[in-house]
Amino acid sequence: MAEHGRERARERDHVRVAVIGSGFGGLGAAVRLRRQGITDFVVLERADAVGGTWRDNSYPGCACDVPSHLYSFSFAPNPEWPRNFSGQAHIRAYLERVTDTFGLRPHLRFNAEVRSLRWDGEALRWEIETADGALTADVVVSATGPLSDPKLPDVPGLDTFPGKVFHSARWDHDYDLRGKRVAMIGTGASAIQIVPAIQPEVGRLTVFQRTPPWVMPRADRRITRAEHWLHTRLPATRALRRQLLWGIRELQVSAFTKRPNELGLIEGIARGHMRRVIKDPAMRARLTPDYRIGCKRILLSNSWYPALTRPNVDLVSSGLREIRGSTLVASDGTETEADAIIFGTGFHVTDMPIAQRVTGAYGTTLAEEWKDGMESLRGTCAAGFPNFLTIIGPNTGLGNSSMILMIEAQLTYMADFLRQLDTLGGRIALSARPSAVQEWTRTIQRRMERTVWNTGGCDSWYLDANGRNTTAWPGTTSEFRRVTRQVDLAEYEVVRPPGTASGTAPETAPGKTVGAPAEVTA
């Protein structure tokens, strides 16, 4: 009976803010809420621990390609990072420490995957169904992240394969790869870490490469005890290190976003990096991309090319076409026998599954509203979804710097969003005006036309099914921080309960414009 009573109490739960996900975005939101004096919130996590993508991706060799002192919260510095580029275990441990340091455990609900969110226009709140029960919330902050749901290609015959199959983000640690014939599908960021890590133990390793990546040297090393001492005793040195790492990357942005031809010098460095290891000209030709560097994500590795030269490694310069039992057939007809298939085929980035579960004020899902491409005001608020904010939303991704910088900028925007609700007072919601979202999107897409992601001659995961870049941010992180410093109420409709006077008149005609945001120029 007591258990039944607790379940019924859970069904009636109401919180001011519900945060979805406990990766960098979700934990950062939780810290910001507490710092703002808001304790009436929960963090809904589908797994049984915090960490997000750094919990899910535990494959051999998993590490970050952004320097550790930049890939961390500004409000939670870590003077004892072990390496310039830290591995998965250390990043996950860092997130666990953040959780404990800022007292977030009481707000966490594990094994509470969100199954649906529906806007209640009468009560002005979100109705949330989770695997752990139901609740309602005034505001929802979605921090599920774009790298949370693995994407598996639809390969004919995959169901006939008798061996082991798994995605890099769902690594099966119980399966012993020693002596096995292994097929690695893909040559992206995960694959170039996995291949060198497993090559010494497998019997045969076949790498299926649809498109070769540009690979730069990885300036990794162990951080010395002297550096640890200095950063602990003199925090200003730690801050200076972070600023230098940030500043260098800010200076690189214009080449990616305005002058892609300047990236030729970087291509030269990448070619030299390859030549030092790959002596066979034919092999180099197979590994050399035919698109401008930066069009796809630039990868960092000192071990990728050496691994490809090992006698037990074969490179198939073609994608996987079909599977016939234990035989993998490439698009060029190459046949390979395998005991295990590892898919390093990326994630649902431009078609995030959470969007199918969110039903807004128009009675349509976010996925339906985004069927022609994702778009949100300042990467955070979608039209027709009141009091719903996305961390790492449309056009907030980066090609050369730390996503933590973008997350923190959005957390500032979230904090001001909540302050505006408090200032307006009463039972209320803010809904992004369709015209404001459209104008923001037009401005971003106009700027995107000259970026390397759109002009570099590649087909990347930055682009959606319609060929539109709805992923990357075409500017510096400092600019994004400026345009998300505060909420402009002119870009929002103030929604009050039915029958009460509206604080801001809703738009009467779709497509009405409010003018381009002053801070963002084409």
Side-chain angles (χ1 to χ4, degrees):
M1 290 294 292
E3 183 65 29
H4 181 65
R6 283 195 295 271
E7 290 178 0
R8 292 189 62 188
R10 173 63 58 82
E11 290 175 356
R12 294 193 300 270
D13 276 356
H14 178 80
V15 293
R16 184 179 182 195
V17 182
V19 179
I20 308 174
S22 66
F24 269 99
L27 294 180
V31 172
R32 192 60 183 261
L33 290 171
R34 285 189 62 89
R35 285 186 149 192
Q36 198 160 321
I38 298 172
T39 57
D40 184 17
F41 71 90
V42 294
V43 179
L44 304 172
E45 170 55 55
R46 67 183 177 184
D48 58 3
V50 302
T53 192
W54 295 106
R55 175 201 59 236
D56 296 341
N57 287 269
S58 59
Y59 58 79
C62 183
C64 190
D65 58 5
V66 175
S68 304
H69 285 279
L70 192 60
Y71 197 78
S72 48
F73 290 121
S74 63
F75 54 79
N78 178 16
E80 297 185 355
W81 285 115
R83 304 190 66 85
N84 279 350
F85 296 90
S86 291
Q88 174 263 345
H90 292 104
I91 297 173
R92 183 177 178 184
Y94 168 78
L95 291 172
E96 292 281 0
R97 287 199 301 275
V98 167
T99 302
D100 292 328
T101 299
F102 292 92
L104 305 182
R105 298 278 175 197
H107 300 280
L108 292 167
R109 286 190 189 175
F110 293 124
N111 302 306
E113 180 175 10
V114 172
R115 293 172 173 166
S116 72
L117 298 101
R118 182 174 293 275
W119 177 249
D120 182 341
E122 296 285 333
L124 297 190
R125 64 186 186 184
W126 285 96
E127 297 177 344
I128 308 170
E129 296 289 336
T130 81
D132 189 41
L135 70 153
T136 57
D138 296 328
V139 177
V140 170
V141 179
S142 178
T144 59
L147 305 182
S148 58
D149 291 282
K151 177 182 286 187
L152 288 173
D154 184 14
V155 181
L158 180 58
D159 57 344
T160 71
F161 183 71
K164 190 70 178 178
V165 178
F166 53 87
H167 191 277
S168 59
R170 299 293 184 267
W171 195 271
D172 189 340
H173 291 277
D174 294 328
Y175 183 74
D176 190 355
L177 291 172
R178 286 177 295 182
K180 300 292 197 308
R181 299 170 299 177
V182 179
M184 179 77 233
I185 313 301
T187 53
S190 299
I192 73 159
Q193 295 180 343
I194 292 169
V195 167
I198 68 173
Q199 173 271 319
E201 65 182 70
V202 303
R204 195 85 199 163
L205 180 57
T206 304
V207 179
F208 285 77
Q209 171 190 267
R210 187 177 60 179
T211 307
W214 283 107
V215 182
M216 294 285 287
R218 186 180 180 85
D220 192 22
R221 65 170 176 82
R222 183 175 294 280
I223 296 176
T224 66
R225 274 191 279 182
E227 289 172 284
H228 288 155
W229 181 91
L230 190 66
H231 293 334
T232 302
R233 301 298 178 86
L234 298 173
T237 64
R238 184 182 63 225
L240 177 61
R241 183 174 191 156
R242 181 181 174 95
Q243 284 295 107
L244 287 173
L245 291 169
W246 167 77
I248 291 170
R249 283 156 180 79
E250 290 289 274
L251 292 174
Q252 298 170 348
V253 170
S254 64
F256 286 84
T257 60
K258 298 177 181 178
R259 294 180 287 276
N261 288 336
E262 293 181 359
L263 292 166
L265 176 62
I266 308 300
E267 283 185 11
I269 296 173
R271 292 177 191 273
H273 179 54
M274 185 197 304
R275 280 196 302 269
R276 282 189 288 273
V277 179
I278 307 297
K279 303 303 182 182
D280 179 9
M283 182 73 160
R284 284 203 301 269
R286 295 166 66 194
L287 291 170
T288 301
D290 61 359
Y291 55 87
R292 174 65 76 190
I293 194 169
C295 184
K296 284 178 176 281
R297 183 174 174 182
I298 300 174
L299 308 182
L300 306 179
S301 177
N302 299 327
S303 55
W304 167 245
Y305 291 134
L308 295 180
T309 66
R310 299 296 184 256
N312 67 331
V313 177
D314 296 313
L315 176 67
V316 177
S317 302
S318 181
L320 180 60
R321 185 180 72 199
E322 63 177 309
I323 298 173
R324 303 172 189 157
S326 61
T327 303
L328 280 64
V329 184
S331 297
D332 64 2
T334 302
E335 296 187 2
T336 301
E337 295 293 315
D339 303 308
I341 302 174
I342 303 170
F343 284 100
T345 46
F347 300 84
H348 289 276
V349 176
T350 59
D351 57 343
M352 294 185 289
I354 188 66
Q356 300 170 10
R357 308 179 186 188
V358 185
T359 302
Y362 306 147
T364 53
T365 66
L366 190 56
E368 290 170 330
E369 293 295 322
W370 282 353
K371 67 181 184 300
D372 296 324
M374 300 189 300
E375 52 183 41
S376 290
L377 178 62
R378 302 179 189 267
T380 308
C381 295
F385 295 82
N387 286 7
F388 184 88
L389 298 86
T390 300
I391 306 300
I392 314 184
N395 291 114
T396 60
L398 298 176
N400 74 315
S401 193
S402 173
M403 280 304 302
I404 313 306
L405 302 171
M406 302 295 278
I407 288 172
E408 289 197 34
Q410 287 193 283
L411 297 182
T412 297
Y413 194 77
M414 175 198 75
D416 194 55
F417 189 99
L418 293 168
R419 277 193 293 268
Q420 296 286 357
L421 290 176
D422 286 342
T423 300
L424 291 166
R427 197 147 54 96
I428 203 169
L430 290 176
S431 184
R433 289 180 176 274
S435 57
V437 175
Q438 291 164 11
E439 186 60 34
W440 173 267
T441 302
R442 278 194 292 269
T443 302
I444 294 298
Q445 291 303 317
R446 200 158 52 238
R447 293 178 58 176
M448 200 67 71
E449 291 174 359
R450 55 186 173 181
T451 67
V452 69
W453 308 303
N454 283 37
T455 65
C458 73
D459 180 17
S460 74
W461 57 263
Y462 296 127
L463 308 180
D464 63 19
N466 300 312
R468 194 173 72 163
N469 191 327
T470 58
T471 304
W473 166 246
T476 62
T477 62
S478 56
E479 180 189 7
F480 188 73
R481 187 167 59 241
R482 287 196 303 273
V483 300
T484 53
R485 183 173 294 136
Q486 61 186 29
V487 169
D488 180 358
L489 284 180
E491 297 178 334
Y492 287 86
E493 297 173 13
V494 179
V495 183
R496 300 187 187 277
T500 62
S502 175
T504 299
E507 296 173 354
T508 57
K512 175 185 172 186
T513 61
V514 296
E519 307 94 324
V520 180
T521 56

